[in-house]
Amino acid sequence: MEIMVGKLAIVASFLAISLLFGQFAWISPDTDATNSQRFEEKTNLALRRTGHRLLLASGDSTSRIPAVRKLDDGTYVLQLSKSFDYNQLPSLLQESFDLHGIKNNYDVAVMDCKTNELQLGYNFLDYSKSKEVACIGRDQVIDCYNVKVTFLTTANNPKSNPVWWTLGLGIAFIGVSYVVLSRRKTPLAPLIETPDEKPIEKSTRIRFGESSMDLDNQMLYTSHTQHNLTFREAKLLHLFIKHQNQVLERDFILKSVWEDEGVTVGRSIDVFVSRLRKLLQEDTSLKIAAVHGVGYRLEVNNGNPAPKKT
């Protein structure tokens, strides 16, 4: 009897703790509105700071920086009436976001003020992984630009993060499970993995030409050299391998490799194709050929048009 009372007391304790955590998960509408307003203020300050640093870097310390415009709940626009160094935008923008504690994933699009056409752009995740973005180092036309930032997550809004409820329910589940399992008269049978039940490890090494690619580790092996690939390089190369000796149109490449960013820049293809050509130059059986006006084709002359997995 005393043992049962002790177990019930343990369950009651777990439930009390879970309810306590659950209280933190509830946020009143007023609090939610305050958090949203605070996030908007921090984003405004971060973008204005970025604009100030960009203009200073280009030698402009007098031009007025207009107010940041909010297009919707996740999109903000900063207009810069003078040209700036696009190479410095990713690091200065992320530095400003870090300063104001903004941790959300975001897209950056540089738009022409007059035509509203996309000129340049990148995604934060791509930059955070490789510290590089498409079209870095290319010349810009002297013009007016809108820097548009679109946030893809709502990590700054506590109401959207159910961590407290998840933790509370997890504690309650552990307590109930403890009582149920402790009442079993026979122990659980050990899990024995027979030879037939062992999982079969599948290699992701793909061979093409005289080279091979490790998908999981984003590695390229050519001759006696191995190369570390960036996320985007690996994705583009894998697309070429899957369609070797086939002409891939530029639009198809953009949608397959860059569409997940929400921002696609046609010139990104040329930059990354140039990088892959340098990495593959040791393998004379391979060639990434440009098909004028259409796209690119990975030519493999080893007589094996289909990728071979080992």
Side-chain angles (χ1 to χ4, degrees):
M1 182 65 180
E2 292 180 356
I3 295 177
M4 181 58 66
V5 172
K7 292 178 179 179
L8 292 175
I10 292 175
V11 173
S13 299
F14 276 117
L15 290 175
I17 294 174
S18 65
L19 290 175
L20 179 62
F21 278 112
Q23 288 183 352
F24 288 100
W26 185 84
I27 301 176
S28 68
D30 291 340
T31 303
D32 187 40
T34 300
N35 290 332
S36 178
Q37 181 179 5
R38 178 57 181 155
F39 175 69
E40 182 177 340
E41 291 174 354
K42 292 193 296 183
T43 302
N44 193 308
L45 292 173
L47 287 176
R48 292 184 65 84
R49 178 184 183 275
T50 302
H52 172 67
R53 293 300 180 90
L54 288 173
L55 291 180
L56 282 181
S58 63
D60 184 351
S61 60
T62 59
S63 294
R64 176 180 174 273
I65 300 177
V68 175
R69 291 184 290 121
K70 179 181 178 182
L71 300 185
D72 52 48
D73 285 341
T75 305
Y76 300 83
V77 174
L78 171 67
Q79 180 176 313
L80 296 177
S81 57
K82 294 189 176 181
S83 298
F84 60 90
D85 186 358
Y86 176 68
N87 297 349
Q88 299 189 30
L89 176 59
S91 59
L92 287 178
L93 181 60
Q94 187 55 44
E95 178 185 296
S96 299
F97 282 160
D98 290 340
L99 180 66
H100 291 280
I102 298 175
K103 305 298 183 181
N104 303 50
N105 181 19
Y106 59 87
D107 283 334
V108 176
V110 179
M111 320 289 292
D112 187 289
C113 290
K114 299 175 184 177
T115 64
N116 203 36
E117 292 181 351
L118 177 66
Q119 302 297 314
L120 302 163
Y122 65 93
N123 174 262
F124 160 70
L125 292 181
D126 200 20
Y127 169 72
S128 64
K129 290 177 182 178
S130 60
K131 298 302 179 185
E132 61 181 20
V133 298
C135 301
I136 286 292
R138 292 180 176 270
D139 294 334
Q140 285 178 254
V141 178
I142 299 177
D143 205 345
C144 167
Y145 294 101
N146 285 327
V147 179
K148 183 171 74 171
V149 177
T150 302
F151 293 101
L152 306 180
T153 60
T154 54
N156 283 275
N157 183 355
K159 193 173 184 179
S160 66
N161 188 355
V163 64
W164 291 108
W165 276 115
T166 304
L167 183 58
L169 292 176
I171 293 174
F173 177 76
I174 292 173
V176 174
S177 300
Y178 166 77
V179 174
V180 173
L181 293 176
S182 64
R183 294 185 65 182
R184 295 177 62 94
K185 294 183 179 180
T186 57
L188 293 174
L191 297 176
I192 302 176
E193 185 179 62
T194 64
D196 293 337
E197 294 174 339
K198 290 182 179 180
I200 300 175
E201 295 184 0
K202 295 182 179 180
S203 173
T204 56
R205 181 77 70 88
I206 299 177
R207 300 187 181 279
F208 61 107
E210 300 300 325
S211 303
S212 63
M213 176 185 178
D214 185 340
L215 288 176
D216 288 339
N217 299 308
Q218 295 182 189
M219 297 291 296
L220 171 64
Y221 300 90
T222 59
S223 186
H224 301 292
T225 307
Q226 65 179 29
H227 307 276
N228 292 307
L229 300 175
T230 66
F231 172 76
R232 206 61 58 186
E233 289 171 346
K235 195 170 183 180
L236 179 58
L237 180 57
H238 187 210
L239 181 69
F240 278 132
I241 295 173
K242 289 192 298 183
H243 301 277
Q244 57 186 263
N245 294 319
Q246 300 176 27
V247 177
L248 302 184
E249 296 182 355
R250 296 179 68 89
D251 288 343
F252 175 74
I253 297 175
L254 279 173
K255 291 181 180 179
S256 301
V257 180
W258 279 273
E259 191 173 49
D260 60 324
E261 296 183 2
V263 175
T264 56
V265 181
R267 287 172 291 182
S268 301
I269 300 176
D270 306 319
V271 174
F272 281 84
V273 166
S274 177
R275 295 180 186 176
L276 292 181
R277 283 172 171 164
K278 292 179 181 178
L279 297 177
L280 295 171
Q281 61 185 357
E282 294 181 0
D283 190 342
T284 57
S285 68
L286 301 174
K287 177 183 178 182
I288 301 179
V291 181
H292 184 68
V294 181
Y296 290 95
R297 175 178 57 233
L298 174 62
E299 297 179 351
V300 184
N301 59 12
N302 62 355
N304 183 17
K308 178 181 177 183
K309 294 187 177 180
T310 61

